[in-house]
Amino acid sequence: GRYALPPLPYPKDALEPHIDSKTMEIHHDKHHQGYVNGLNKALDELQKIREGSGDAGLIKHWSRELSFNGGGHLNHTLFWLNLAPAGKGGGGMPQGKLAEQIGNDFGSFDQFTAHFKAAANSCEASGWAWLVYEPFGKKLMVLQMEKQQDLLLNNAHPLLGVDVWEHAYYLKYQNRRADYVSAFMNIINWSFVQRRFDEIAAQS
Ligand code: MN3
């Protein structure tokens, strides 16, 4: 019943040179673990409030902690699965229905890539860019997310996200976020993104 840190689906150095091993270690073992701990702590504290032993005045604080750390846990769980070593599942282009829908909704794969990179590069301070599927309109969109949880359209299903918090790239890329985002495009696990799209689109 408690949230746990999922293991990385590949070794920490598998995404070199695009994402370095030390960044992967700190990002996964420290940052992601911190969100898992924060999520479990927020749930514990909210339970205490429900049971009468907690401080009901802190419900706003723990609700925010739940949203922030829960967002962090889910985003990072998907982020690791979105990636694969270059040439071994990572990189290339999407195929199948996802490729078709990217063409319909963004004009072309190149136009999607330019839009996705610009959204990531222009995200102020800590945040993410996401390729999402919006099931009411049955449309793919690129959205920005501030911090871990804000600005993502309700009910949109995240498919592919790039983490542009400084902890995701600063050791190797320093202030050159655009270089990190370009490198990220070389290690996208498009077959995972396609499977996720196919499942979600089939249900909506
Ligand atoms: Mn992160």
Side-chain angles (χ1 to χ4, degrees), residues 75-138:
N75 296 341
H76 286 84
T77 298
L78 195 49
F79 181 68
W80 312 127
L81 295 170
N82 275 162
L83 300 174
K88 295 181 197 160
M93 289 171 65
Q95 308 292 329
K97 286 182 189 156
L98 177 61
E100 205 175 299
Q101 182 129 11
I102 284 175
N104 289 339
D105 291 343
F106 296 103
S108 68
F109 181 67
D110 285 349
Q111 287 183 59
F112 156 73
T113 299
H115 183 169
F116 185 79
K117 286 164 75 172
N121 290 334
S122 64
C123 189
E124 280 179 340
S126 299
W128 296 65
W130 284 99
L131 170 66
V132 304
Y133 181 67
E134 195 289 290
F136 288 138
K138 302 188 188 302

Side-chain angles (χ1 to χ4, degrees), residues 20-34:
D20 61 290
S21 171
K22 192 71 184 171
T23 295
M24 290 297 288
E25 180 186 331
I26 295 170
H27 199 177
H28 177 266
D29 297 358
K30 305 294 183 194
H31 290 276
H32 191 171
Q33 181 72 64

